Amino acid sequence: MPPSEPAPTRVRLTRLGLSQFRNYTEARLCAARDHVVLAGPNGSGKTNVLEAISLLSPGRGLRRATYAEMIRQGAPAETGWAVSARVDKGGEESAVGTGLQGEGSRIVRVDGADARPDDLTRVARVLWLTPAMDGLFTGGTSDRRRFLDRLALALFPQHGRRANAYERAMRQRNKMFEDGVSDARWYEAVEREMAEHGAAMAAARVELIVKLNAAQAVRALDGGDFPQAVLALAGDEGDADGPGFARRLREGRGRDRAAGRALGGPHRVDLKVTHVEKDMPAGLASTGEQKALLIGIVLGHAALVARVTGETPILLLDEVAAHLDPARRAALYDTLDALGAQTFMTGTDESLFTALGERADRFRVEAGTITPQ
């Protein structure tokens, strides 16, 4: 019988500080348990707390807002904002912070040293599920592609940087079409860059899909309480082989020039999700089934991240409990316990979290204040 895998290192956010962020002038939160409940009326600032935590990862956070939009309303623009945290990883604590000073760019610091956003994954992997994602299966392709890349980023920290580099090179190529550039050497240089980064993106996405589908199948065999989903890529992903992708770009240059844009590549891919038990596209499932499928994917991804990286992620679940019946709600909490991931959950009704009992730290959020309960 093969030896069991070692348990992943438990990662916990123990302290969070906000300064001039959204509706908070100054706020502090200290957490000791695996679950953290933020309860309060709509508009009180619960999601703002989750957004602040999501900024402890690469990217613009769970709302994808501009950094200037995060400055507290009414505060001078030059004030900026700051989010700081203490993260415990297997008994070793790290200090991490990010923010905006004046009209400059985002600042990231890890243990007192300047860092890049990609470096934040060395401290913690932060995953989230928000109400804005409820229409994922019926919404636009770009939303599903963004969701796919966020999942990939948790496993492959370079994925976001590669995606940005690919987009820059593609925009440069499109501008050359617009300007009537004819020198093939210019195109070849840009296409090599597109191919290098695009191939790496394609390979990461394929690997993610394979591993996530395997994780979903294992979860289903274990009798999971959320329906199993199978994910697949659709559309023209490009080519996971860099030279092959560069050749395709070169051969399709005339067609792309006529269109004024690249007609194939990772920027054209779509994510297809199938409800396994009902053998139907997720987009045709009921609203409740779609929500359950999405929760199942996020939970499966969290388990995959823990297994691949050897560290439990931090989960942000915004208003998730309100959409579940009491039995499935209790099943969610038990599944989260089994994952071992620290989870921050929001809701307007504190009774939604009764089944958590003493497993949760509870806070009342109201008018930009966070009060322990």
Side-chain angles (χ1 to χ4, degrees):
M1 193 173 174
S4 60
E5 295 181 359
T9 301
R10 296 166 72 87
V11 178
R12 298 290 181 268
L13 189 154
T14 58
R15 281 186 282 172
L16 178 71
L18 309 179
S19 178
Q20 302 298 329
F21 183 82
R22 292 293 190 181
N23 67 326
Y24 294 95
T25 303
E26 298 286 339
R28 297 290 182 270
L29 179 154
C30 294
R33 293 183 171 89
D34 287 350
H35 306 298
V36 179
V37 170
L38 303 167
N42 290 326
S44 60
K46 303 184 300 296
T47 303
N48 293 342
V49 176
L50 299 193
E51 182 182 31
I53 299 172
S54 74
L55 291 169
L56 303 176
S57 65
R60 298 210 310 265
L62 57 78
R63 283 193 177 108
R64 289 185 55 77
T66 66
Y67 298 135
E69 290 174 328
M70 299 175 191
I71 301 173
R72 183 179 62 81
Q73 190 171 20
E78 60 272 16
T79 300
W81 54 265
V83 174
S84 61
R86 292 276 178 174
V87 177
D88 180 278
K89 184 185 296 186
E92 296 185 5
E93 191 173 77
S94 295
V96 59
T98 187
L100 183 70
Q101 290 185 350
E103 298 181 357
S105 57
R106 179 185 178 186
I107 297 169
V108 175
R109 295 181 71 82
V110 176
D111 291 327
D114 291 335
R116 297 179 303 185
D118 286 357
D119 296 326
L120 291 168
T121 56
R122 292 192 285 106
V123 179
R125 263 112 172 148
V126 185
L127 317 176
W128 56 79
L129 179 58
T130 71
M133 296 160 65
D134 286 352
L136 184 72
F137 304 129
T138 56
T141 302
S142 61
D143 292 335
R144 287 187 292 276
R145 193 162 48 242
R146 190 176 301 120
F147 175 73
L148 174 68
D149 286 333
R150 171 54 60 178
L151 298 184
L153 186 60
L155 293 178
F156 311 105
Q158 301 296 321
H159 189 73
R161 193 182 306 171
R162 288 166 177 162
N164 290 336
Y166 174 84
E167 290 285 342
R168 284 195 301 270
M170 182 174 64
R171 286 196 299 269
Q172 185 178 353
R173 184 173 182 259
N174 292 346
K175 186 66 166 58
M176 289 162 61
F177 288 147
E178 182 182 340
D179 293 343
V181 175
S182 58
D183 192 332
R185 293 172 299 179
W186 286 80
Y187 286 100
E188 288 170 1
V190 173
E191 287 165 358
R192 279 196 301 271
E193 187 173 354
M194 281 183 66
E196 175 189 351
H197 298 294
M201 290 174 61
R205 286 170 172 174
V206 169
E207 185 174 351
L208 166 71
I209 292 292
V210 170
K211 290 181 174 179
L212 188 52
N213 282 340
Q216 291 280 84
V218 169
R219 192 175 57 82
L221 288 174
D222 290 340
D225 293 287
F226 294 90
Q228 180 188 358
V230 168
L231 287 68
L233 299 176
D236 188 351
E237 171 73 3
D239 199 321
D241 169 60
F245 190 14
R247 183 173 60 254
R248 287 185 56 192
L249 288 169
R250 183 175 65 252
E251 293 171 351
R253 196 179 298 158
R255 180 194 62 175
D256 291 350
R257 184 193 299 274
R261 65 188 188 280
L263 296 177
H267 63 289
R268 304 279 292 180
V269 76
D270 194 4
L271 175 67
K272 298 297 183 183
V273 180
T274 300
H275 188 312
V276 173
E277 288 84 353
K278 296 200 170 181
D279 190 24
M280 65 187 298
L284 298 180
S286 69
T287 301
E289 289 173 323
Q290 289 183 25
K291 185 72 174 184
L293 279 169
L294 187 55
I295 292 173
I297 292 171
V298 171
L299 294 176
H301 180 244
L304 176 62
V305 168
R307 187 168 68 252
V308 172
T309 67
E311 300 174 358
T312 59
I314 295 173
L315 276 174
L316 312 178
L317 303 180
D318 193 14
E319 299 287 352
V320 170
H323 299 276
L324 304 176
D325 59 45
R328 185 159 272 174
R329 205 155 51 225
L332 171 64
Y333 300 151
D334 290 342
T335 302
L336 292 172
D337 279 343
L339 280 174
Q342 186 184 33
T343 309
F344 289 77
M345 291 175 274
T346 67
T348 55
D349 186 352
E350 294 181 25
S351 67
L352 294 172
F353 307 101
T354 300
L356 280 171
E358 297 299 318
R359 293 176 286 176
D361 286 325
R362 300 169 189 271
F363 297 86
R364 181 70 180 174
V365 180
E366 201 155 6
T369 62
I370 305 173
T371 308
Q373 298 293 296

